[in-house]
Amino acid sequence: MTDPRTITATDLRALAVAALGHAGAQPAHAETTADILIDADLMGVDTHGVRRLVPYTAKLRGGAINPTPNVRVEDRGPVMALVDGDDGLGQVAALCALEAVLSRARASGLAFAAVRNGNHMGALAPYGRRAADAGMMLIIGTNASPAIAPWGARDLVVGNNPLAVAAPRPDGPPFIFDGAMTMAARGKMRKLRDAGQPMPLGWALDADGRPTTDPAAGLAGFIQFMGGHKGSGLALAGDVLAGVLSGGAFLTGVGDVMGSETPQRSSHYMLALDPDRLLGDGVFAQRMTAFAAIIKNATPIDPARPVMLPGEIEGLERERRLADGIPVDAAVLADVERLAGGD
Amino acid sequence: MTDPRTITATDLRALAVAALGHAGAQPAHAETTADILIDADLMGVDTHGVRRLVPYTAKLRGGAINPTPNVRVEDRGPVMALVDGDDGLGQVAALCALEAVLSRARASGLAFAAVRNGNHMGALAPYGRRAADAGMMLIIGTNASPAIAPWGARDLVVGNNPLAVAAPRPDGPPFIFDGAMTMAARGKMRKLRDAGQPMPLGWALDADGRPTTDPAAGLAGFIQFMGGHKGSGLALAGDVLAGVLSGGAFLTGVGDVMGSETPQRSSHYMLALDPDRLLGDGVFAQRMTAFAAIIKNATPIDPARPVMLPGEIEGLERERRLADGIPVDAAVLADVERLAGGD
């Protein structure tokens, strides 16, 4: 990690679009993908921001991401759909599925879609924000490359399958829980490793099953699920909803998120729900305000750090970075500029 | 805790029905409630079994549970419903909502219901098992009495809101993840306290915020969410889906699960999904078998303990206890017998 350089969201987006275009992505797909990546950088989730352009463009050039996918939505009645991402950029299939569930939930109050033959779709929170901005609740998840041992096992056959739950809030940034099932994300461990910093105890065991604070040893060993069997069970449940239910890849069938030669073929799921359809216009918004007030009025442990709702820190950071620019790690930004220049 | 006495499920169910009937419950409601409690005892989840008859009957006698509820299902289009439990036994409203989502998902592939004015509904796994036996996936959750501080706060304003995800499996017990959001359930801590046993470090802090292995000190202090902010965020998301979305009570609005004078008014949510509607008849079952094989063929840490799927230990225990009887803590069974006798 190097010192950050600050760049506006508009300029960073233009670089990302150019980088993806040079690697072969269609213009509309490059823009869609850039939007989701920039949203993560705006929220301060830089593990899922433009840093991902390095593997994405390598995959486009290496044939692991299809530059001209035929993304298909197959309806299963009025409230369910299956989406085939055709190995294109993950954000393209995921946003197609998001549009599918939002439009169907607008009509029926509720809709579900599963996506097969997807790719890394970036952070989940940007999808949740789009749904919340449309007045909808969203439950969304994806499977991920196998990297973790299920409870009681030694083999790395499960992904760190993240889950997000989003809801609109009238008086602040949307409520967005977005988290993977381990104590900490692999991206966070890689960042500490690259920075030469230790990680907290409990995040992972080394290859011999011993506790360690060395992120490199942890990445080469056993990353720990939160709550032991609980995080493990939630990760498996996420893969049943994504991989098994989509008709796509699950568990060890999901490919490498970094490798440039074989498709990742990750699977996703999403459920949209119209709260106004359930409670009547405006009632959910009033109730979310009352809900938020109870949490935000709770006594903080540290008086200097008021209690926040899930997604609030990221939502406020987004507003700040939209105004003041995004501090991007200088080495990452140099990579992005190089890729945008066509290298 | 005392030594267990073994009793058949049939005999234990008859005692539970009698206990609830003596406390004023209608016969059909007593049977419904007994079924869910016995299912938990069969699965080995005895924190949520007939042990709960003590608070349930006290609440019925004290007026906190309505013995003659008018449980209402209000449709919101063909795939959504709101259920009002009218302060009756929690299992009655919850099973009514389960029937509502299962029948609607049979017709449309997908259905959602939220329940307000409910009560403690027992373990979630028995509802998941019923859905899976009907060939359906179920996502189900409830809010709970406020007992935990949200991330960064000192006030106990959030419940340990559990979540379950169930899916049918043709070659074994249903896939059922069922867990609350803390490192360990309060019931488990109470059981250790009553047994005079210590609890593992990390489950809770004492009232002064210090780590402790004393379950009584932990129950009087701060129970810890799994993954820190992650478990906290998931618990809040569960209450948005249950409490905010049902129009019922949430957070500090949920009453005491033990007190006998005021209604608990917990809120629940459930989503049923027909996997065959999405993938075609039998495809999901085949894919679940392949999914299960990958997990079950993983190398176990302890060669004597093969890797299990979520719900498998409980499903196998259920078969064993149906055949051999249920070992019930003798003091708990004495309470149940006393209540069944009309005391």
Side-chain angles (χ1 to χ4, degrees), chain A residues 154-155 182 230 248 287 299, chain B residues 154-155 182 230 243 248 287 299:
Chain A
R154 297 180 54 88
D155 300 338
T182 53
K230 294 190 189 190
R287 294 174 62 81
T299 313
Chain B
R154 298 180 53 89
D155 299 339
T182 52
K230 293 190 189 190
R287 294 173 61 81
T299 312

Side-chain angles (χ1 to χ4, degrees), chain A residues 25 33 75 89 107 177 186 235 244-245 253 330:
Chain A
T33 303
D75 275 312
L89 282 159
F177 167 78
R186 300 187 81 198
V244 182
L245 206 47

Side-chain angles (χ1 to χ4, degrees), chain B residues 3-227:
Chain B
D3 287 342
R5 273 167 51 206
T6 296
I7 179 170
T8 68
T10 308
D11 289 349
L12 189 58
R13 181 181 187 277
L15 289 173
V17 169
L20 290 161
H22 278 300
Q26 297 171 47
H29 294 182
E31 298 202 2
T32 288
T33 303
D35 282 339
I36 295 287
L37 293 177
I38 302 300
D39 234 21
D41 279 314
L42 281 169
M43 293 183 188
V45 188
D46 52 349
T47 52
H48 288 68
V50 292
R51 164 185 305 260
R52 298 284 176 162
L53 287 168
V54 175
Y56 288 4
T57 53
K59 277 176 171 278
L60 277 162
R61 291 200 167 93
I65 290 182
N66 179 358
T68 55
N70 175 22
V71 178
R72 293 179 300 278
V73 179
E74 304 165 17
D75 275 313
R76 295 288 186 268
V79 292
M80 297 213 291
L82 281 177
V83 177
D84 190 321
D86 197 22
D87 295 332
L89 282 158
Q91 285 79 355
V92 174
L95 275 172
C96 175
L98 182 67
E99 278 311 309
V101 293
L102 291 181
S103 62
R104 284 155 185 75
R106 235 170 257 126
S108 303
L110 184 73
F112 179 88
V115 181
R116 63 177 182 269
N117 299 325
N119 266 298
H120 190 265
M121 63 191 278
L124 300 181
Y127 302 90
R129 194 178 67 71
R130 281 162 172 73
D133 286 350
M136 293 279 179
M137 285 198 68
L138 189 75
I139 300 177
I140 182 169
T142 181
N143 61 19
S145 309
I148 311 172
W151 184 243
R154 298 180 53 89
D155 299 339
L156 310 183
V157 299
V158 185
N160 192 6
N161 307 334
L163 163 69
V165 181
R169 254 184 78 202
D171 62 336
F175 177 106
I176 306 180
F177 167 79
D178 176 8
M181 295 305 130
T182 52
M183 295 297 288
R186 299 187 81 197
K188 211 174 265 186
M189 291 169 62
R190 284 196 211 101
K191 232 174 106 177
L192 289 173
R193 176 198 61 194
D194 295 350
Q197 289 173 3
M199 66 180 181
L201 210 61
W203 284 16
L205 308 177
D206 69 15
D208 298 318
R210 291 171 309 205
T212 179
T213 59
D214 174 3
L219 284 162
F222 298 93
I223 301 173
Q224 294 296 290
F225 279 119
M226 61 180 183

Side-chain angles (χ1 to χ4, degrees), chain B residues 23 37 40 78 84 119 145 152 164 204 213 236 242 248 274 277 281 314-315 318:
Chain B
L37 293 177
D84 190 321
N119 266 298
S145 309
T213 59
L236 291 174
D274 181 355
R277 180 75 172 244
D281 283 354
E314 294 81 3
R318 186 171 186 277

Side-chain angles (χ1 to χ4, degrees), chain A residues 76 79-80 82 108-112 137 151-155 163 165 175 177 180 182-183 226-227 230 233-234 236-237 239-241 243-245 247-248 250-252 271 273-275 277-279 284 287-288 291 294-295 298-301 307 310, chain B residues 76 79-80 82 108-112 137 151-155 163 165 175 177 180 182-183 226-227 230 233-234 236-237 239-241 243-245 247-248 250-252 271 273-275 277-279 284 287-288 291 294-295 298-301 307 310:
Chain A
R76 296 287 185 268
V79 292
M80 296 211 292
L82 281 177
S108 303
L110 184 72
F112 178 88
M137 284 198 68
W151 184 244
R154 297 180 54 88
D155 300 338
L163 163 69
V165 180
F175 177 106
F177 167 78
T182 53
M183 295 297 288
M226 61 179 183
K230 294 190 189 190
L234 278 171
L236 291 175
D239 208 353
V240 171
L241 285 160
V244 182
L245 206 47
F250 51 77
L251 298 174
T252 48
L271 179 96
L273 187 154
D274 181 355
R277 180 76 172 242
L278 209 57
L279 292 174
F284 182 79
R287 294 174 62 81
M288 276 305 286
F291 181 93
I294 294 173
I295 300 300
T299 313
I301 292 173
V307 182
Chain B
R76 295 288 186 268
V79 292
M80 297 213 291
L82 281 177
S108 303
L110 184 73
F112 179 88
M137 285 198 68
W151 184 243
R154 298 180 53 89
D155 299 339
L163 163 69
V165 181
F175 177 106
F177 167 79
T182 52
M183 295 297 288
M226 61 180 183
K230 293 190 189 190
L234 278 171
L236 291 174
D239 208 354
V240 171
L241 284 160
V244 181
L245 205 49
F250 52 76
L251 298 174
T252 48
L271 179 95
L273 187 154
D274 181 355
R277 180 75 172 244
L278 208 57
L279 292 175
F284 182 77
R287 294 173 61 81
M288 276 305 284
F291 181 93
I294 294 173
I295 300 300
T299 312
I301 292 172
V307 182

Side-chain angles (χ1 to χ4, degrees), chain A residues 35-223:
Chain A
D35 282 341
I36 296 287
L37 293 177
I38 302 300
D39 234 21
D41 278 314
L42 281 168
M43 293 184 188
V45 187
D46 52 349
T47 52
H48 288 67
V50 292
R51 168 186 302 262
R52 296 284 177 161
L53 287 169
V54 175
Y56 288 5
T57 53
K59 276 174 171 279
L60 276 163
R61 291 203 168 92
I65 291 181
N66 179 357
T68 55
N70 175 22
V71 178
R72 293 179 299 279
V73 179
E74 303 164 18
D75 275 312
R76 296 287 185 268
V79 292
M80 296 211 292
L82 281 177
V83 176
D84 189 322
D86 198 22
D87 296 331
L89 282 159
Q91 285 78 356
V92 174
L95 276 173
C96 174
L98 181 67
E99 279 311 308
V101 293
L102 291 180
S103 63
R104 283 155 186 76
R106 236 170 257 126
S108 303
L110 184 72
F112 178 88
V115 181
R116 64 178 182 272
N117 298 325
N119 265 299
H120 189 264
M121 63 192 275
L124 300 181
Y127 302 90
R129 194 178 67 72
R130 280 162 173 72
D133 286 349
M136 293 278 178
M137 284 198 68
L138 189 75
I139 300 176
I140 182 170
T142 180
N143 61 17
S145 309
I148 311 171
W151 184 244
R154 297 180 54 88
D155 300 338
L156 310 182
V157 299
V158 186
N160 192 7
N161 306 332
L163 163 69
V165 180
R169 255 183 79 202
D171 62 337
F175 177 106
I176 306 180
F177 167 78
D178 176 7
M181 296 305 131
T182 53
M183 295 297 288
R186 300 187 81 198
K188 211 175 265 185
M189 291 169 62
R190 283 195 213 103
K191 230 172 109 178
L192 290 173
R193 177 198 59 192
D194 295 348
Q197 288 173 5
M199 65 180 183
L201 211 59
W203 282 16
L205 308 178
D206 69 14
D208 298 318
R210 291 170 309 204
T212 180
T213 58
D214 173 2
L219 284 162
F222 299 93
I223 302 173

